[in-house]
């Protein structure tokens, strides 16, 4: 099933390393199809389709798309061999679960919308192409005024997290060494820091 010009629902639901590792134990697809599928389609239409059209399908690498209930459970667990947690999951804020609901009929994320993490492979920027490639991607997104809701910038050549919601907030976050969201350091990617209100919210 296509959810955008370039991406399928299967790719969006099965791209994570955690799913690949535990595929036989994870049901990766949405349950609330009536609401979640349109949210994923909107993310593609407003954010991912323009990105892929510009940078090319062969350079686009999706690293984390939709998070099902099963995937959420496995991401929160530790690998039995290494003792390392499979991944990070914050369903109440990160929008990876889109419009899925818990057993009480409440949305996991009240922001609704949908989110994904991706990188553009081989993106060069100036002399230091490895460390600056993600910076260039974010700069392009801002230049094009894509209507994102939240954008998480992890720095260097790492994937970015981006979401779309019906009322996009255009919030950009960087992260402290301890993994706490903050607006500090936004000047590096050409985005002035608005205020300290959100830092206080997260205890930075």
């Amino acid at each position: 099933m296509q959810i955008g010009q370039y991406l399928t629902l299967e790719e969006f639901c099965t791209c994570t390393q955690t799913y690949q590792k535990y595929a036989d134990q994870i049901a990766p697809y949405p349950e609330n199809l009536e609401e979640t599928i349109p949210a994923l389609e909107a993310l593609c239409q407003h954010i991912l389709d323009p990105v892929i059209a510009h940078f090319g399908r062969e350079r686009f690498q999706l690293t984390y798309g939709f998070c099902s209930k099963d995937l959420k459970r496995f991401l929160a667990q530790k690998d039995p061999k290494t003792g390392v947690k499979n991944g990070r999951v914050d369903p109440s804020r990160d929008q990876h679960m889109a419009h899925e609901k818990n057993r009480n009929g409440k949305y996991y994320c009240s922001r609704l919308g949908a989110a994904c993490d991706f990188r553009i492979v081989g993106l060069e920027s100036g002399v230091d192409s490895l460390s600056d490639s993600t910076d260039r991607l974010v700069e392009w997104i801002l230049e094009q005024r894509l209507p994102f809701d939240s954008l998480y910038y992890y720095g260097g050549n790492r994937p970015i997290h981006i979401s779309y919601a019906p009322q996009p907030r255009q919030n950009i976050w960087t992260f402290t060494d301890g993994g706490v969201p903050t607006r500090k350091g936004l000047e590096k990617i050409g985005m002035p820091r608005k205020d300290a209100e959100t830092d206080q919210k997260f205890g930075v």
Side-chain angles (χ1 to χ4, degrees):
M1 174 184 178
Q2 289 287 137
I3 57 172
Q5 293 182 33
Y6 306 94
L7 301 176
T8 66
L9 179 64
E10 179 180 7
E11 180 178 7
F12 214 80
C13 295
T14 63
C15 62
T16 63
Q17 293 181 352
T18 300
Y19 174 77
Q20 298 299 327
K21 187 186 297 185
Y22 304 104
D24 60 335
Q25 303 175 62
I26 295 176
Y29 296 104
E31 294 180 0
N32 185 14
L33 298 177
E34 184 176 341
E35 294 182 89
T36 291
I37 296 299
L40 299 179
E41 291 173 337
L43 173 63
C44 287
Q45 176 188 347
H46 294 285
I47 307 295
L48 301 182
D49 286 350
V51 168
I52 298 173
H54 179 76
F55 292 104
R57 181 65 181 87
E58 70 283 355
R59 299 171 74 186
F60 177 86
Q61 183 180 74
L62 188 67
T63 59
Y64 184 13
F66 171 74
C67 181
S68 68
K69 295 177 182 178
D70 279 356
L71 181 57
K72 176 176 76 70
R73 179 164 53 89
F74 275 88
L75 283 170
Q77 295 176 0
K78 293 182 179 180
D79 184 295
K81 294 182 179 178
T82 65
V84 177
K85 197 173 180 181
N86 288 318
R88 296 174 109 183
V89 58
D90 188 0
S92 67
R93 283 203 299 251
D94 64 24
Q95 296 168 281
H96 279 287
M97 296 191 76
H99 291 234
E100 296 300 284
K101 298 179 180 180
N102 61 26
R103 66 182 65 182
N104 297 319
K106 302 292 185 181
Y107 293 113
Y108 281 96
C109 182
S110 61
R111 281 298 307 164
L112 300 179
C116 70
D117 294 12
F118 73 91
R119 62 159 57 97
I120 300 298
V121 178
L123 181 60
E124 297 182 354
S125 176
V127 177
D128 192 353
S129 61
L130 284 179
S131 64
D132 293 339
S133 60
T134 301
D135 298 45
R136 183 180 170 192
L137 170 61
V138 173
E139 288 170 0
W140 183 86
I141 290 172
L142 297 177
E143 289 170 358
Q144 300 302 308
R145 299 183 182 276
L146 297 187
F148 61 86
D149 188 40
S150 291
L151 190 156
Y152 297 174
Y153 171 80
Y154 298 107
N157 198 36
R158 299 180 63 187
I160 65 167
H161 165 101
I162 197 165
S163 68
Y164 176 79
Q167 297 180 330
R169 298 169 295 177
Q170 298 275 294
N171 280 342
I172 299 182
W173 305 94
T174 59
F175 289 80
T176 67
D177 292 340
V180 178
T182 176
R183 288 189 183 278
K184 297 176 182 177
L186 293 182
E187 299 82 3
K188 179 181 178 182
I189 52 175
M191 189 73 178
R193 187 180 177 199
K194 294 180 180 179
D195 52 52
E197 178 182 347
T198 47
D199 287 347
Q200 294 171 1
K201 175 181 176 183
F202 288 103
V204 176

